[in-house]
Amino acid sequence: MPDQPLPDQPTLDESHLTSGTTSPFLSGTKVQFAWDSTSLGYLKTCPRLYQYTILDGWSSRHESVHLRFGGEYASALEHFNHLRAEGGHYEDCVRSCVAKLLSSTSDWIVDEDTKAGKYKNRDSLVGLVVDYLDHFRDDPCQTYILDSGKPAVELSFRFELDWGPTYRRTEFIAELGSEAEISDESIPYLLCGHLDRVVTFNDQLFVMDQKTTSTTLGDRYFDQYEPHNQMTLYTLAGQVILNAPVKGVIIDAAQIMLEKPNRFVRGFTYRTQDQLDEWLLDLRFWLNIAESYADSGYWPMNDTACDKFGGCRFREVCSKSPEVRDQFLRADFIQLEEDDRWNPLRSR
Amino acid sequence: MTNDLDTLMSRYEATTHKPPHELTRSELDTIIAYHRAQRARRASGERQPRAAKPTSESVLDFATIKSHLKPAAPSVGDFKRRF
């Protein structure tokens, strides 16, 4: 049974959906004008972390098991939701989903002797997807159907803010017959990202975001999403691109278990209009600070954040004396080509 | 139940050696059935069957036995019994 649209269906402004890729920086500068929750999160956590990852493109030599697992999981569910919305039979959709997952992970080799690899590997991924689909076979959350008839899954969005960075550059001015420094504020900031799924639940609209974890899904787990940079941005994005009162985000969490059945728990995180306004006000300050870092060409270290989220991957580098830091960075990380670096404007 | 799972497991293992694009509909169903059976097994509290590990070593292999032996720790004062 395909999902049905709401009776009073909000309209999607498709101009906010994205395709193609351009640089998220003002030409010839380190001033970023297109932001997503990842780059903004790095900036808020530690400007030096933002510099290393977003600006300089330093990346771990080894692929992150967590990132690959989460990405493959979300892609598999997206594929399933597309097929179901087109009216596919449940078992056919599960089979197609598993086939696609096996194919996309055929090159994925995980060291299952590590803690991460024990929980997150190809076999546990397929098991988790099958378990999820069976668990939510009669899902009370219905995928929202766009005006185009397509299901609202994996929506890449971007929208403009009503202010932008100051773009200082030198240009040849014909009237003057010479070069002059001009200050331009005509390029607005953009907020970008990807919504896993937009759903209706109890006649209300929510963004749904899939998470996988090996930690217990209790209050403590869900508390981390309130307040939360990504979830606030996604609520705001849902409201802007659907032009409808999206209430918040449903955290669609899956707990990977080794000896017990996998667990699936959904947590709701709501945002009021005042909370969204406050987040946008704070954003003005954060982006202003980012501009000042770019102007000065210096991104300071926040040494109170090094132990967060299990420890920053650059901790070893930052712990070294500045004059030898670059050597350690080159030894432990690879610098991605500019086209391969994290880009909020890249559509999925 | 265990026999069914064993049969399913051997059929499942046969699929793991095939390139994904060569998997037939029936083999994909086997993979799905295997994961569903694993879920049922976990729900019932039954432990994962593991590959057999050697439980003993040849007594003739003195080097192996020696590597397992630890010298007795010297006495270091009063031993306190904790109850």
Side-chain angles (χ1 to χ4, degrees), chain A residues 90-92 94-95 98-99 102-103 106 122-123 126-127 130-131 134 257-262, chain B residues 12 16 20-21 23-26 28-29 31-32 34-36 39 41-43 45-48 50:
Chain A
Y90 178 77
E91 287 296 339
D92 291 339
V94 174
R95 192 182 301 111
V98 168
L102 289 170
S103 182
S106 60
R122 194 168 177 237
D123 191 56
V126 177
V130 171
D131 288 358
D134 287 350
M257 309 281 271
L258 293 179
E259 285 298 336
K260 291 180 180 171
N262 294 316
Chain B
Y12 168 75
T16 60
H21 64 275
L23 289 170
T24 63
R25 179 189 171 106
S26 146
L28 285 166
D29 286 342
I31 293 168
I32 294 164
Y34 164 78
H35 285 291
R36 285 176 174 156
R39 183 172 69 223
R41 179 193 58 73
R42 288 171 174 189
E46 197 181 325
R47 290 190 70 81
Q48 168 94 14
R50 295 184 191 282

mmCIF file of all heavy atoms in Angstrom, chain A residues 90-92 94-95 98-99 102-103 106 122-123 126-127 130-131 134 257-262, chain B residues 12 16 20-21 23-26 28-29 31-32 34-36 39 41-43 45-48 50:
data_model
loop_
_atom_site.group_PDB
_atom_site.id
_atom_site.type_symbol
_atom_site.label_atom_id
_atom_site.label_comp_id
_atom_site.label_asym_id
_atom_site.label_seq_id
_atom_site.Cartn_x
_atom_site.Cartn_y
_atom_site.Cartn_z
ATOM 1 N N TYR A 90 5.595 -5.785 -0.578
ATOM 2 C CA TYR A 90 6.555 -5.704 0.528
ATOM 3 C C TYR A 90 7.764 -6.624 0.326
ATOM 4 O O TYR A 90 8.917 -6.175 0.375
ATOM 5 C CB TYR A 90 5.858 -6.021 1.854
ATOM 6 C CG TYR A 90 6.799 -6.011 3.038
ATOM 7 C CD1 TYR A 90 7.231 -4.818 3.598
ATOM 8 C CD2 TYR A 90 7.300 -7.200 3.576
ATOM 9 C CE1 TYR A 90 8.118 -4.784 4.654
ATOM 10 C CE2 TYR A 90 8.178 -7.194 4.634
ATOM 11 C CZ TYR A 90 8.591 -5.984 5.169
ATOM 12 O OH TYR A 90 9.482 -5.972 6.213
ATOM 13 N N GLU A 91 7.509 -7.907 0.091
ATOM 14 C CA GLU A 91 8.635 -8.855 -0.003
ATOM 15 C C GLU A 91 9.521 -8.557 -1.217
ATOM 16 O O GLU A 91 10.738 -8.735 -1.150
ATOM 17 C CB GLU A 91 8.127 -10.302 -0.066
ATOM 18 C CG GLU A 91 7.571 -10.834 1.268
ATOM 19 C CD GLU A 91 8.623 -10.932 2.381
ATOM 20 O OE1 GLU A 91 9.830 -10.988 2.089
ATOM 21 O OE2 GLU A 91 8.218 -10.917 3.569
ATOM 22 N N ASP A 92 8.920 -8.091 -2.301
ATOM 23 C CA ASP A 92 9.722 -7.724 -3.482
ATOM 24 C C ASP A 92 10.641 -6.553 -3.154
ATOM 25 O O ASP A 92 11.799 -6.499 -3.587
ATOM 26 C CB ASP A 92 8.813 -7.342 -4.660
ATOM 27 C CG ASP A 92 8.047 -8.537 -5.208
ATOM 28 O OD1 ASP A 92 8.496 -9.680 -4.973
ATOM 29 O OD2 ASP A 92 7.010 -8.314 -5.860
ATOM 30 N N VAL A 94 11.765 -5.686 -0.158
ATOM 31 C CA VAL A 94 12.831 -6.126 0.761
ATOM 32 C C VAL A 94 13.938 -6.811 -0.042
ATOM 33 O O VAL A 94 15.132 -6.544 0.148
ATOM 34 C CB VAL A 94 12.285 -7.090 1.845
ATOM 35 C CG1 VAL A 94 13.421 -7.650 2.700
ATOM 36 C CG2 VAL A 94 11.255 -6.395 2.732
ATOM 37 N N ARG A 95 13.531 -7.676 -0.972
ATOM 38 C CA ARG A 95 14.510 -8.414 -1.783
ATOM 39 C C ARG A 95 15.371 -7.454 -2.611
ATOM 40 O O ARG A 95 16.597 -7.563 -2.650
ATOM 41 C CB ARG A 95 13.783 -9.401 -2.697
ATOM 42 C CG ARG A 95 14.694 -10.416 -3.366
ATOM 43 C CD ARG A 95 13.928 -11.335 -4.303
ATOM 44 N NE ARG A 95 12.878 -12.070 -3.642
ATOM 45 C CZ ARG A 95 11.564 -11.864 -3.841
ATOM 46 N NH1 ARG A 95 11.165 -10.935 -4.687
ATOM 47 N NH2 ARG A 95 10.666 -12.587 -3.205
ATOM 48 N N VAL A 98 17.813 -5.608 -0.317
ATOM 49 C CA VAL A 98 18.956 -6.443 0.102
ATOM 50 C C VAL A 98 19.928 -6.630 -1.064
ATOM 51 O O VAL A 98 21.153 -6.554 -0.893
ATOM 52 C CB VAL A 98 18.458 -7.807 0.648
ATOM 53 C CG1 VAL A 98 19.605 -8.795 0.802
ATOM 54 C CG2 VAL A 98 17.751 -7.605 1.986
ATOM 55 N N ALA A 99 19.388 -6.828 -2.275
ATOM 56 C CA ALA A 99 20.247 -7.003 -3.455
ATOM 57 C C ALA A 99 21.104 -5.763 -3.679
ATOM 58 O O ALA A 99 22.312 -5.853 -3.931
ATOM 59 C CB ALA A 99 19.390 -7.287 -4.679
ATOM 60 N N LEU A 102 23.804 -5.502 -0.904
ATOM 61 C CA LEU A 102 24.921 -6.440 -1.106
ATOM 62 C C LEU A 102 25.835 -5.957 -2.222
ATOM 63 O O LEU A 102 27.058 -6.091 -2.154
ATOM 64 C CB LEU A 102 24.384 -7.838 -1.422
ATOM 65 C CG LEU A 102 23.721 -8.562 -0.247
ATOM 66 C CD1 LEU A 102 23.023 -9.827 -0.722
ATOM 67 C CD2 LEU A 102 24.746 -8.901 0.830
ATOM 68 N N SER A 103 25.215 -5.372 -3.234
ATOM 69 C CA SER A 103 26.003 -4.888 -4.364
ATOM 70 C C SER A 103 26.839 -3.660 -3.968
ATOM 71 O O SER A 103 28.035 -3.601 -4.264
ATOM 72 C CB SER A 103 25.025 -4.536 -5.493
ATOM 73 O OG SER A 103 25.731 -4.107 -6.594
ATOM 74 N N SER A 106 29.856 -4.637 -1.743
ATOM 75 C CA SER A 106 30.684 -5.793 -2.135
ATOM 76 C C SER A 106 32.180 -5.518 -1.952
ATOM 77 O O SER A 106 32.970 -6.435 -1.790
ATOM 78 C CB SER A 106 30.381 -6.200 -3.578
ATOM 79 O OG SER A 106 30.664 -5.120 -4.429
ATOM 80 N N ARG A 122 29.353 -5.859 7.136
ATOM 81 C CA ARG A 122 28.405 -6.095 6.040
ATOM 82 C C ARG A 122 27.252 -7.000 6.473
ATOM 83 O O ARG A 122 26.092 -6.745 6.167
ATOM 84 C CB ARG A 122 29.177 -6.708 4.878
ATOM 85 C CG ARG A 122 28.432 -6.695 3.581
ATOM 86 C CD ARG A 122 29.371 -7.041 2.453
ATOM 87 N NE ARG A 122 28.680 -7.117 1.185
ATOM 88 C CZ ARG A 122 28.678 -8.189 0.412
ATOM 89 N NH1 ARG A 122 29.310 -9.287 0.793
ATOM 90 N NH2 ARG A 122 28.041 -8.181 -0.754
ATOM 91 N N ASP A 123 27.595 -8.040 7.205
ATOM 92 C CA ASP A 123 26.585 -9.003 7.630
ATOM 93 C C ASP A 123 25.599 -8.368 8.615
ATOM 94 O O ASP A 123 24.377 -8.521 8.489
ATOM 95 C CB ASP A 123 27.291 -10.205 8.280
ATOM 96 C CG ASP A 123 26.343 -11.353 8.507
ATOM 97 O OD1 ASP A 123 25.726 -11.801 7.525
ATOM 98 O OD2 ASP A 123 26.207 -11.788 9.667
ATOM 99 N N VAL A 126 23.172 -5.936 6.739
ATOM 100 C CA VAL A 126 22.041 -6.570 6.034
ATOM 101 C C VAL A 126 21.007 -7.042 7.060
ATOM 102 O O VAL A 126 19.795 -6.832 6.887
ATOM 103 C CB VAL A 126 22.526 -7.752 5.158
ATOM 104 C CG1 VAL A 126 21.348 -8.450 4.492
ATOM 105 C CG2 VAL A 126 23.512 -7.260 4.103
ATOM 106 N N GLY A 127 21.486 -7.636 8.162
ATOM 107 C CA GLY A 127 20.577 -8.091 9.220
ATOM 108 C C GLY A 127 19.782 -6.932 9.805
ATOM 109 O O GLY A 127 18.578 -7.041 10.036
ATOM 110 N N VAL A 130 17.057 -5.740 7.295
ATOM 111 C CA VAL A 130 15.925 -6.692 7.256
ATOM 112 C C VAL A 130 15.095 -6.544 8.536
ATOM 113 O O VAL A 130 13.858 -6.491 8.493
ATOM 114 C CB VAL A 130 16.434 -8.150 7.079
ATOM 115 C CG1 VAL A 130 15.293 -9.150 7.251
ATOM 116 C CG2 VAL A 130 17.097 -8.331 5.717
ATOM 117 N N ASP A 131 15.781 -6.447 9.672
ATOM 118 C CA ASP A 131 15.064 -6.309 10.949
ATOM 119 C C ASP A 131 14.258 -5.017 10.990
ATOM 120 O O ASP A 131 13.122 -4.992 11.462
ATOM 121 C CB ASP A 131 16.066 -6.315 12.122
ATOM 122 C CG ASP A 131 16.657 -7.700 12.361
ATOM 123 O OD1 ASP A 131 16.261 -8.637 11.642
ATOM 124 O OD2 ASP A 131 17.513 -7.831 13.263
ATOM 125 N N ASP A 134 11.137 -5.263 8.706
ATOM 126 C CA ASP A 134 10.108 -6.123 9.301
ATOM 127 C C ASP A 134 9.473 -5.440 10.521
ATOM 128 O O ASP A 134 8.266 -5.527 10.733
ATOM 129 C CB ASP A 134 10.715 -7.473 9.726
ATOM 130 C CG ASP A 134 11.024 -8.363 8.519
ATOM 131 O OD1 ASP A 134 10.595 -8.005 7.404
ATOM 132 O OD2 ASP A 134 11.694 -9.393 8.703
ATOM 133 N N MET A 257 22.756 -4.992 18.098
ATOM 134 C CA MET A 257 23.034 -5.889 19.223
ATOM 135 C C MET A 257 23.775 -7.115 18.692
ATOM 136 O O MET A 257 23.545 -7.548 17.562
ATOM 137 C CB MET A 257 21.724 -6.330 19.875
ATOM 138 C CG MET A 257 20.778 -5.193 20.231
ATOM 139 S SD MET A 257 21.229 -4.344 21.746
ATOM 140 C CE MET A 257 20.346 -5.332 22.925
ATOM 141 N N LEU A 258 24.625 -7.685 19.550
ATOM 142 C CA LEU A 258 25.378 -8.861 19.112
ATOM 143 C C LEU A 258 24.639 -10.165 19.413
ATOM 144 O O LEU A 258 24.548 -11.032 18.560
ATOM 145 C CB LEU A 258 26.758 -8.879 19.778
ATOM 146 C CG LEU A 258 27.718 -7.764 19.342
ATOM 147 C CD1 LEU A 258 29.037 -7.889 20.083
ATOM 148 C CD2 LEU A 258 27.954 -7.795 17.838
ATOM 149 N N GLU A 259 24.117 -10.271 20.608
ATOM 150 C CA GLU A 259 23.479 -11.532 20.998
ATOM 151 C C GLU A 259 21.971 -11.427 21.168
ATOM 152 O O GLU A 259 21.287 -12.428 21.227
ATOM 153 C CB GLU A 259 24.108 -12.067 22.292
ATOM 154 C CG GLU A 259 25.487 -12.685 22.080
ATOM 155 C CD GLU A 259 25.480 -13.895 21.142
ATOM 156 O OE1 GLU A 259 24.433 -14.557 21.003
ATOM 157 O OE2 GLU A 259 26.512 -14.169 20.516
ATOM 158 N N LYS A 260 21.463 -10.198 21.273
ATOM 159 C CA LYS A 260 20.016 -10.007 21.388
ATOM 160 C C LYS A 260 19.500 -9.426 20.082
ATOM 161 O O LYS A 260 20.292 -8.935 19.269
ATOM 162 C CB LYS A 260 19.710 -9.060 22.553
ATOM 163 C CG LYS A 260 20.010 -9.667 23.921
ATOM 164 C CD LYS A 260 19.701 -8.686 25.020
ATOM 165 C CE LYS A 260 19.995 -9.308 26.369
ATOM 166 N NZ LYS A 260 19.900 -8.325 27.452
ATOM 167 N N PRO A 261 18.176 -9.446 19.882
ATOM 168 C CA PRO A 261 17.653 -8.855 18.632
ATOM 169 C C PRO A 261 17.940 -7.349 18.581
ATOM 170 O O PRO A 261 17.921 -6.678 19.625
ATOM 171 C CB PRO A 261 16.144 -9.113 18.724
ATOM 172 C CG PRO A 261 15.973 -10.176 19.740
ATOM 173 C CD PRO A 261 17.110 -10.057 20.688
ATOM 174 N N ASN A 262 18.216 -6.846 17.385
ATOM 175 C CA ASN A 262 18.428 -5.407 17.219
ATOM 176 C C ASN A 262 17.208 -4.651 17.745
ATOM 177 O O ASN A 262 16.084 -5.149 17.665
ATOM 178 C CB ASN A 262 18.632 -5.082 15.737
ATOM 179 C CG ASN A 262 19.915 -5.680 15.191
ATOM 180 O OD1 ASN A 262 20.957 -5.604 15.837
ATOM 181 N ND2 ASN A 262 19.844 -6.284 14.013
ATOM 182 N N TYR B 12 22.939 -20.344 3.263
ATOM 183 C CA TYR B 12 23.342 -18.924 3.326
ATOM 184 C C TYR B 12 24.832 -18.785 3.029
ATOM 185 O O TYR B 12 25.246 -17.932 2.244
ATOM 186 C CB TYR B 12 23.013 -18.366 4.715
ATOM 187 C CG TYR B 12 23.630 -17.010 4.984
ATOM 188 C CD1 TYR B 12 23.114 -15.864 4.394
ATOM 189 C CD2 TYR B 12 24.735 -16.886 5.828
ATOM 190 C CE1 TYR B 12 23.672 -14.621 4.627
ATOM 191 C CE2 TYR B 12 25.312 -15.641 6.069
ATOM 192 C CZ TYR B 12 24.777 -14.512 5.467
ATOM 193 O OH TYR B 12 25.338 -13.286 5.695
ATOM 194 N N THR B 16 27.346 -16.525 0.140
ATOM 195 C CA THR B 16 28.324 -15.480 0.475
ATOM 196 C C THR B 16 29.529 -15.489 -0.452
ATOM 197 O O THR B 16 30.273 -14.521 -0.499
ATOM 198 C CB THR B 16 28.817 -15.611 1.943
ATOM 199 O OG1 THR B 16 29.422 -16.892 2.091
ATOM 200 C CG2 THR B 16 27.686 -15.440 2.934
ATOM 201 N N PRO B 20 27.465 -10.373 -5.840
ATOM 202 C CA PRO B 20 26.080 -9.947 -5.614
ATOM 203 C C PRO B 20 25.212 -9.950 -6.872
ATOM 204 O O PRO B 20 24.043 -10.319 -6.825
ATOM 205 C CB PRO B 20 26.228 -8.532 -5.059
ATOM 206 C CG PRO B 20 27.585 -8.489 -4.472
ATOM 207 C CD PRO B 20 28.430 -9.415 -5.281
ATOM 208 N N HIS B 21 25.808 -9.565 -8.026
ATOM 209 C CA HIS B 21 24.981 -9.460 -9.235
ATOM 210 C C HIS B 21 24.575 -10.828 -9.786
ATOM 211 O O HIS B 21 23.719 -10.921 -10.655
ATOM 212 C CB HIS B 21 25.707 -8.632 -10.307
ATOM 213 C CG HIS B 21 26.973 -9.253 -10.807
ATOM 214 N ND1 HIS B 21 28.169 -9.084 -10.165
ATOM 215 C CD2 HIS B 21 27.208 -10.052 -11.870
ATOM 216 C CE1 HIS B 21 29.109 -9.747 -10.823
ATOM 217 N NE2 HIS B 21 28.551 -10.348 -11.859
ATOM 218 N N LEU B 23 23.456 -13.259 -7.746
ATOM 219 C CA LEU B 23 22.516 -13.886 -6.816
ATOM 220 C C LEU B 23 21.129 -13.995 -7.445
ATOM 221 O O LEU B 23 20.630 -13.032 -8.034
ATOM 222 C CB LEU B 23 22.425 -13.053 -5.525
ATOM 223 C CG LEU B 23 23.659 -13.085 -4.615
ATOM 224 C CD1 LEU B 23 23.542 -12.036 -3.518
ATOM 225 C CD2 LEU B 23 23.844 -14.468 -4.006
ATOM 226 N N THR B 24 20.524 -15.161 -7.306
ATOM 227 C CA THR B 24 19.183 -15.365 -7.857
ATOM 228 C C THR B 24 18.158 -14.892 -6.829
ATOM 229 O O THR B 24 18.481 -14.646 -5.668
ATOM 230 C CB THR B 24 18.946 -16.854 -8.148
ATOM 231 O OG1 THR B 24 19.013 -17.553 -6.893
ATOM 232 C CG2 THR B 24 20.001 -17.405 -9.100
ATOM 233 N N ARG B 25 16.925 -14.826 -7.292
ATOM 234 C CA ARG B 25 15.817 -14.438 -6.405
ATOM 235 C C ARG B 25 15.739 -15.387 -5.201
ATOM 236 O O ARG B 25 15.561 -14.955 -4.070
ATOM 237 C CB ARG B 25 14.534 -14.491 -7.247
ATOM 238 C CG ARG B 25 13.264 -14.136 -6.517
ATOM 239 C CD ARG B 25 12.065 -14.452 -7.428
ATOM 240 N NE ARG B 25 10.827 -14.332 -6.695
ATOM 241 C CZ ARG B 25 9.980 -13.337 -6.829
ATOM 242 N NH1 ARG B 25 10.209 -12.373 -7.673
ATOM 243 N NH2 ARG B 25 8.871 -13.305 -6.111
ATOM 244 N N SER B 26 15.898 -16.675 -5.495
ATOM 245 C CA SER B 26 15.802 -17.679 -4.429
ATOM 246 C C SER B 26 16.963 -17.537 -3.423
ATOM 247 O O SER B 26 16.788 -17.716 -2.218
ATOM 248 C CB SER B 26 15.773 -19.056 -5.086
ATOM 249 O OG SER B 26 16.414 -19.997 -4.325
ATOM 250 N N LEU B 28 18.531 -14.718 -2.761
ATOM 251 C CA LEU B 28 18.250 -13.512 -1.969
ATOM 252 C C LEU B 28 17.232 -13.835 -0.877
ATOM 253 O O LEU B 28 17.342 -13.364 0.256
ATOM 254 C CB LEU B 28 17.720 -12.390 -2.872
ATOM 255 C CG LEU B 28 18.769 -11.713 -3.752
ATOM 256 C CD1 LEU B 28 18.107 -10.874 -4.834
ATOM 257 C CD2 LEU B 28 19.704 -10.838 -2.913
ATOM 258 N N ASP B 29 16.255 -14.673 -1.221
ATOM 259 C CA ASP B 29 15.265 -15.078 -0.216
ATOM 260 C C ASP B 29 15.934 -15.882 0.900
ATOM 261 O O ASP B 29 15.538 -15.783 2.065
ATOM 262 C CB ASP B 29 14.147 -15.905 -0.875
ATOM 263 C CG ASP B 29 13.210 -15.017 -1.688
ATOM 264 O OD1 ASP B 29 13.232 -13.784 -1.459
ATOM 265 O OD2 ASP B 29 12.488 -15.536 -2.554
ATOM 266 N N ILE B 31 19.001 -15.451 1.957
ATOM 267 C CA ILE B 31 19.720 -14.474 2.798
ATOM 268 C C ILE B 31 18.748 -13.782 3.765
ATOM 269 O O ILE B 31 19.025 -13.645 4.955
ATOM 270 C CB ILE B 31 20.448 -13.433 1.900
ATOM 271 C CG1 ILE B 31 21.573 -14.122 1.121
ATOM 272 C CG2 ILE B 31 20.994 -12.272 2.735
ATOM 273 C CD1 ILE B 31 22.163 -13.292 -0.002
ATOM 274 N N ILE B 32 17.599 -13.394 3.233
ATOM 275 C CA ILE B 32 16.598 -12.721 4.082
ATOM 276 C C ILE B 32 16.082 -13.689 5.152
ATOM 277 O O ILE B 32 15.971 -13.334 6.325
ATOM 278 C CB ILE B 32 15.444 -12.173 3.202
ATOM 279 C CG1 ILE B 32 15.986 -11.064 2.285
ATOM 280 C CG2 ILE B 32 14.299 -11.654 4.063
ATOM 281 C CD1 ILE B 32 15.075 -10.710 1.129
ATOM 282 N N TYR B 34 17.632 -16.216 6.371
ATOM 283 C CA TYR B 34 18.714 -16.442 7.336
ATOM 284 C C TYR B 34 18.713 -15.340 8.407
ATOM 285 O O TYR B 34 18.798 -15.615 9.604
ATOM 286 C CB TYR B 34 20.054 -16.487 6.605
ATOM 287 C CG TYR B 34 21.256 -16.340 7.515
ATOM 288 C CD1 TYR B 34 21.710 -17.417 8.274
ATOM 289 C CD2 TYR B 34 21.915 -15.119 7.634
ATOM 290 C CE1 TYR B 34 22.802 -17.284 9.123
ATOM 291 C CE2 TYR B 34 23.000 -14.971 8.475
ATOM 292 C CZ TYR B 34 23.438 -16.053 9.223
ATOM 293 O OH TYR B 34 24.507 -15.902 10.067
ATOM 294 N N HIS B 35 18.611 -14.097 7.968
ATOM 295 C CA HIS B 35 18.625 -12.991 8.935
ATOM 296 C C HIS B 35 17.379 -13.005 9.824
ATOM 297 O O HIS B 35 17.459 -12.682 11.007
ATOM 298 C CB HIS B 35 18.785 -11.652 8.210
ATOM 299 C CG HIS B 35 20.187 -11.429 7.721
ATOM 300 N ND1 HIS B 35 21.242 -11.203 8.579
ATOM 301 C CD2 HIS B 35 20.718 -11.441 6.474
ATOM 302 C CE1 HIS B 35 22.362 -11.059 7.871
ATOM 303 N NE2 HIS B 35 22.074 -11.209 6.589
ATOM 304 N N ARG B 36 16.266 -13.401 9.254
ATOM 305 C CA ARG B 36 15.045 -13.499 10.075
ATOM 306 C C ARG B 36 15.186 -14.629 11.098
ATOM 307 O O ARG B 36 14.750 -14.497 12.242
ATOM 308 C CB ARG B 36 13.829 -13.721 9.170
ATOM 309 C CG ARG B 36 13.424 -12.435 8.457
ATOM 310 C CD ARG B 36 12.291 -12.645 7.477
ATOM 311 N NE ARG B 36 11.839 -11.372 6.931
ATOM 312 C CZ ARG B 36 11.221 -11.231 5.762
ATOM 313 N NH1 ARG B 36 10.954 -12.302 5.031
ATOM 314 N NH2 ARG B 36 10.836 -10.039 5.344
ATOM 315 N N ARG B 39 17.360 -13.522 13.895
ATOM 316 C CA ARG B 39 16.615 -12.647 14.811
ATOM 317 C C ARG B 39 15.766 -13.486 15.777
ATOM 318 O O ARG B 39 15.741 -13.221 16.972
ATOM 319 C CB ARG B 39 15.725 -11.709 13.991
ATOM 320 C CG ARG B 39 14.959 -10.711 14.834
ATOM 321 C CD ARG B 39 14.262 -9.690 13.964
ATOM 322 N NE ARG B 39 13.176 -10.246 13.200
ATOM 323 C CZ ARG B 39 12.913 -9.981 11.926
ATOM 324 N NH1 ARG B 39 13.684 -9.169 11.244
ATOM 325 N NH2 ARG B 39 11.886 -10.517 11.307
ATOM 326 N N ARG B 41 16.318 -16.549 16.623
ATOM 327 C CA ARG B 41 17.236 -17.257 17.521
ATOM 328 C C ARG B 41 17.669 -16.358 18.665
ATOM 329 O O ARG B 41 17.655 -16.746 19.823
ATOM 330 C CB ARG B 41 18.460 -17.730 16.727
ATOM 331 C CG ARG B 41 19.507 -18.459 17.564
ATOM 332 C CD ARG B 41 20.807 -18.627 16.817
ATOM 333 N NE ARG B 41 21.411 -17.389 16.377
ATOM 334 C CZ ARG B 41 22.012 -16.516 17.180
ATOM 335 N NH1 ARG B 41 22.081 -16.745 18.473
ATOM 336 N NH2 ARG B 41 22.525 -15.402 16.689
ATOM 337 N N ARG B 42 18.021 -15.117 18.320
ATOM 338 C CA ARG B 42 18.441 -14.175 19.364
ATOM 339 C C ARG B 42 17.296 -13.891 20.335
ATOM 340 O O ARG B 42 17.501 -13.802 21.536
ATOM 341 C CB ARG B 42 18.869 -12.852 18.735
ATOM 342 C CG ARG B 42 20.184 -12.919 17.992
ATOM 343 C CD ARG B 42 20.336 -11.625 17.264
ATOM 344 N NE ARG B 42 21.606 -11.474 16.604
ATOM 345 C CZ ARG B 42 21.996 -10.333 16.045
ATOM 346 N NH1 ARG B 42 21.225 -9.277 16.096
ATOM 347 N NH2 ARG B 42 23.148 -10.243 15.450
ATOM 348 N N ALA B 43 16.086 -13.752 19.780
ATOM 349 C CA ALA B 43 14.921 -13.454 20.631
ATOM 350 C C ALA B 43 14.659 -14.598 21.601
ATOM 351 O O ALA B 43 14.184 -14.384 22.726
ATOM 352 C CB ALA B 43 13.696 -13.192 19.774
ATOM 353 N N GLY B 45 16.889 -16.385 22.931
ATOM 354 C CA GLY B 45 17.981 -16.462 23.899
ATOM 355 C C GLY B 45 19.022 -17.496 23.558
ATOM 356 O O GLY B 45 19.990 -17.680 24.299
ATOM 357 N N GLU B 46 18.831 -18.169 22.414
ATOM 358 C CA GLU B 46 19.800 -19.194 21.995
ATOM 359 C C GLU B 46 21.092 -18.504 21.556
ATOM 360 O O GLU B 46 21.044 -17.471 20.880
ATOM 361 C CB GLU B 46 19.210 -19.972 20.819
ATOM 362 C CG GLU B 46 19.876 -21.290 20.533
ATOM 363 C CD GLU B 46 19.225 -21.980 19.321
ATOM 364 O OE1 GLU B 46 17.999 -21.840 19.168
ATOM 365 O OE2 GLU B 46 19.940 -22.607 18.548
ATOM 366 N N ARG B 47 22.216 -19.048 21.910
ATOM 367 C CA ARG B 47 23.489 -18.412 21.566
ATOM 368 C C ARG B 47 23.894 -18.739 20.141
ATOM 369 O O ARG B 47 23.507 -19.744 19.574
ATOM 370 C CB ARG B 47 24.589 -18.829 22.543
ATOM 371 C CG ARG B 47 24.387 -18.227 23.933
ATOM 372 C CD ARG B 47 25.598 -18.451 24.798
ATOM 373 N NE ARG B 47 26.746 -17.668 24.374
ATOM 374 C CZ ARG B 47 26.918 -16.385 24.692
ATOM 375 N NH1 ARG B 47 26.021 -15.736 25.389
ATOM 376 N NH2 ARG B 47 27.998 -15.755 24.296
ATOM 377 N N GLN B 48 24.682 -17.845 19.594
ATOM 378 C CA GLN B 48 25.184 -17.996 18.217
ATOM 379 C C GLN B 48 26.082 -19.225 18.123
ATOM 380 O O GLN B 48 27.037 -19.338 18.894
ATOM 381 C CB GLN B 48 25.991 -16.741 17.862
ATOM 382 C CG GLN B 48 26.799 -16.827 16.611
ATOM 383 C CD GLN B 48 26.044 -16.268 15.405
ATOM 384 O OE1 GLN B 48 25.049 -15.599 15.545
ATOM 385 N NE2 GLN B 48 26.529 -16.581 14.235
ATOM 386 N N ARG B 50 29.105 -21.193 17.075
ATOM 387 C CA ARG B 50 30.421 -20.704 16.650
ATOM 388 C C ARG B 50 31.239 -21.831 16.034
ATOM 389 O O ARG B 50 30.989 -22.996 16.303
ATOM 390 C CB ARG B 50 31.190 -20.127 17.843
ATOM 391 C CG ARG B 50 30.524 -18.906 18.417
ATOM 392 C CD ARG B 50 31.356 -18.315 19.527
ATOM 393 N NE ARG B 50 30.607 -17.303 20.241
ATOM 394 C CZ ARG B 50 30.408 -16.067 19.819
ATOM 395 N NH1 ARG B 50 30.886 -15.693 18.659
ATOM 396 N NH2 ARG B 50 29.721 -15.199 20.533
#
